[in-house]
Amino acid sequence: LTVSGSVDDVSLTLRPGEIVGISGLIGSGRTELARALFGMENASARRFRVAGKDVLPRSVQEAISLGIAYVPEDRLSEGLFLTQSIERNMVVSILDRLRRGLFLDRDAMRGKTEEMFAAMQIAAPSPETAVGNLSGGNAQRVMLGRWLLTGAKVLILNGPTVGVDVGSKAKIHHIIRDLAREEGVAVLMISDDVPELTGNCNRIHVM
């Protein structure tokens, strides 16, 4: 895969149930690689296969339809609606599934949110809590929950524990490992934290 000016002829394989790490210096093209895999960068590839389909996503919508999800490094400016509730942040990626005619099924919204609220071990008074009031670790788990609601099979994590305290970091790592081992999710973990990669990944590539 190539992104003009930032990524030159990168090849990798990511299998179900596997956590593959990507490391490298700032400016090495790690983020551009992630964005290209999620259809956010204009990229080219001799071959790009997802679940048996030869297709390179050209948009975020196409990437999501292929089962690819992306958690960005800067969740505050790129990932979350800080003034909105946990519930709204959770279900924003599956609104089309929650429509009943012209309206949203509020019971279905709450059910999906509460399911992921518990699975992600989010510490907050209720799903109505504004995301901007959460700690870094809880906010990151909201991001993870949002994409897992889509049924994603490929999860790209860019700096999954940046700005997160030690306790929350351990919880997030545990959730990621469980997703790979028990749900068969294929995880691409991008980080400059070497112990994070060596402690969680099956293989590591360096850019």
Side-chain angles (χ1 to χ4, degrees):
L1 183 140
T2 296
V3 179
S4 181
S6 57
V7 178
D8 184 26
D9 198 23
V10 168
S11 295
L12 61 87
T13 299
L14 178 60
R15 298 178 179 87
E18 191 173 52
I19 303 175
V20 172
I22 299 284
S23 191
L25 298 174
I26 293 173
S28 63
R30 299 176 310 178
T31 295
E32 289 80 5
L33 172 65
R35 288 170 58 87
L37 296 175
F38 196 53
M40 297 174 70
E41 295 276 352
N42 186 22
S44 61
R46 287 190 296 276
R47 187 179 190 189
F48 189 100
R49 173 171 281 193
V50 181
K53 296 180 180 178
D54 284 313
V55 57
L56 179 64
R58 297 298 180 186
S59 67
V60 169
Q61 290 74 19
E62 189 174 2
I64 293 172
S65 73
L66 292 169
I68 302 173
Y70 174 52
V71 177
E73 184 172 26
D74 190 347
R75 57 184 170 271
L76 299 183
S77 65
E78 292 186 88
L80 295 168
F81 304 102
L82 298 179
T83 61
Q84 299 295 320
S85 66
I86 292 171
E87 179 178 70
R88 291 188 176 189
N89 274 274
M90 282 273 197
V91 302
V92 68
S93 59
I94 58 166
L95 289 178
D96 58 326
R97 304 181 195 175
L98 300 172
R99 285 200 189 98
R100 299 295 180 267
L102 297 175
F103 301 97
L104 292 172
D105 185 333
R106 293 306 302 268
D107 289 338
M109 286 174 61
R110 179 51 57 91
K112 291 290 186 183
T113 302
E114 289 180 348
E115 172 191 334
M116 205 51 64
F117 193 87
M120 292 294 106
Q121 304 172 36
I122 295 168
S126 80
E128 293 300 322
T129 303
V131 166
N133 294 331
L134 299 178
S135 66
N138 283 296
Q140 188 73 327
R141 279 175 264 171
V142 171
M143 284 287 296
L144 285 170
R146 171 195 293 174
W147 289 116
L148 294 179
L149 282 175
T150 68
K153 293 302 180 186
V154 179
L155 183 59
I156 304 166
L157 304 172
N158 192 358
T161 57
V162 171
V164 171
D165 64 77
V166 173
S168 287
K169 180 181 286 192
K171 286 183 179 179
I172 290 171
H173 288 164
H174 181 74
I175 289 169
I176 293 168
R177 290 195 298 269
D178 278 354
L179 288 171
R181 182 174 58 247
E182 297 179 10
E183 305 294 331
V185 176
V187 180
L188 190 66
M189 182 185 288
I190 300 170
S191 178
D192 54 12
D193 183 344
V194 174
E196 176 170 63
L197 294 178
T198 56
N200 291 284
C201 297
N202 299 98
R203 291 178 288 114
I204 301 171
H205 297 283
V206 180
M207 294 183 70

